[in-house]
Amino acid sequence: MSRTPTAKAAKAVRKRRRHQPVQAGNAPNPQAAQAAQAAAQGKSAASVRRPEPAAADGPRDPASGNPAIEAERIAEAAQAAFDLLYTRDAPALLRQVELLTGSTRLARHAVHRAFDQAWQRWPEVAVDPDPAGWIRAEAHHHALAPWQQLLPWYRTPPRERSAFQRLSPGTRHAVLLHDGLGLSLLRTAAESMATTSMTRRRIVRGREALGEGAAVRLGDLLDEQPEAEYPAAMVRQLSEQWLRIRTVGAVVATVLIALVTAVGLVFGPLSERVGADSDPAVPAQEGVSQPA
């Protein structure tokens, strides 16, 4: 019985490999053996089934590579970080602003506005070296703005002000930051937006006005922290609602300004032409000289 050329070639390869020693790097290849066997049977090498690659170690996260799920995770992480910051610092910040202004209503308004601004600018606040300090500065400066005392519902009568609240706003702020919160002189000067020498003079002046043990008494007052007005989730929701309202208001105002400008450009020259046509110049009569 005659053999096919393919079978003869496969037999010669097997015979030659049996007589060759196995060297490093020349170990028998299972895939080559399968190909030789397939050739002996008259099959092509492409029909030999290749082994499937092994799966990577460990379970693969089905959410990896999904932009929607990744965005949702980032949003949840941002909300959790903001809620933690609000729950931890809002009561203390309320007490600080209340001592600075003497008005509980103004303190709640300033603190709520500070956290509202922080949530709207959270990508910036989250990477700040001191997010709590960012919010504290926002609340303090808003509460100490001069125009706040012009509003009657935020104004504290002079007879109801404490000795600390009778100090000037700059002195109050410097003493609260340095003696009450324990910030350094440089940090106090930077947060109160004053020079180091001016901040030092304010602290000395405040200590002299308040008397001995002022820092201890101020620390005891700061320990009395009220409850936050709203939960953290509601603060975020109100901030997002007000942002949408302000955005819509800005768009409407821009459209109205554009319409008024367009109407003025269209009807302004037209009214001038109509006025000129309705009041033509009187022609001069013959023999009557016109005044120069």
Side-chain angles (χ1 to χ4, degrees):
M1 181 177 59
S2 61
R3 296 182 180 177
T4 61
T6 306
K8 292 180 179 180
K11 183 178 180 181
V13 170
R14 288 197 300 270
K15 184 177 180 180
R16 186 169 56 253
R17 286 184 177 177
R18 274 200 306 267
H19 295 286
Q20 288 180 351
V22 179
Q23 299 178 358
N26 294 328
N29 191 348
Q31 297 182 3
Q34 292 180 5
Q37 184 178 1
Q41 297 176 1
K43 300 179 181 179
S44 62
S47 63
V48 179
R49 183 179 181 182
R50 298 180 179 271
E52 297 182 357
D57 296 338
R60 185 178 180 182
D61 188 2
S64 61
N66 191 327
I69 297 179
E70 291 295 332
E72 184 178 356
R73 286 181 175 178
I74 294 174
E76 291 177 355
Q79 293 174 3
F82 177 85
D83 294 354
L84 177 62
L85 185 65
Y86 178 84
T87 305
R88 184 188 63 190
D89 294 340
L93 191 55
L94 277 170
R95 186 55 174 163
Q96 295 169 24
V97 180
E98 189 177 4
L99 288 176
L100 283 174
T101 61
S103 171
T104 304
R105 191 172 183 180
L106 178 56
R108 294 190 179 278
H109 166 70
V111 172
H112 182 268
R113 180 185 178 278
F115 278 97
D116 172 47
Q117 294 293 320
W119 180 241
Q120 293 182 21
R121 303 167 62 180
W122 186 248
E124 173 189 346
V125 178
V127 299
D128 192 89
D130 185 13
W134 191 98
I135 298 175
R136 179 178 62 240
E138 190 75 19
H140 287 186
H141 290 302
H142 181 75
L144 292 175
W147 57 269
Q148 293 287 3
Q149 294 300 321
L150 300 177
L151 302 175
W153 50 87
Y154 290 154
R155 189 184 307 161
T156 304
R159 63 178 180 275
E160 298 180 4
R161 298 175 184 174
S162 62
F164 177 73
Q165 292 159 2
R166 293 191 185 99
L167 300 174
S168 64
T171 303
R172 266 180 281 164
H173 198 198
V175 172
L176 177 70
L177 293 176
H178 188 270
D179 292 348
L181 302 182
L183 300 185
S184 64
L185 181 62
L186 293 177
R187 181 67 182 273
T188 301
E191 197 159 320
S192 59
M193 294 188 297
T195 62
T196 306
S197 57
M198 181 181 293
T199 303
R200 185 183 293 106
R201 288 196 299 269
R202 287 174 175 176
I203 294 173
V204 172
R205 192 184 308 123
R207 289 173 179 174
E208 293 176 352
L210 296 175
E212 186 178 357
V216 177
R217 294 194 301 271
L218 186 59
D220 294 338
L221 292 174
L222 289 172
D223 290 338
E224 302 172 2
Q225 300 177 3
E227 293 290 337
E229 186 176 9
Y230 303 113
M234 184 177 293
V235 172
R236 288 189 283 101
Q237 293 174 2
L238 292 175
S239 177
E240 294 169 359
Q241 291 176 4
W242 278 110
L243 179 61
R244 287 193 292 268
I245 291 174
R246 286 191 289 265
T247 303
V248 172
V251 172
V252 171
T254 304
V255 172
L256 290 177
I257 293 174
L259 288 176
V260 171
T261 304
V263 169
L265 292 175
V266 172
F267 292 98
L270 180 61
S271 61
E272 293 178 0
R273 291 196 300 270
V274 171
D277 295 340
S278 61
D279 188 16
V282 179
Q285 299 179 2
E286 296 182 357
V288 179
S289 60
Q290 296 296 326

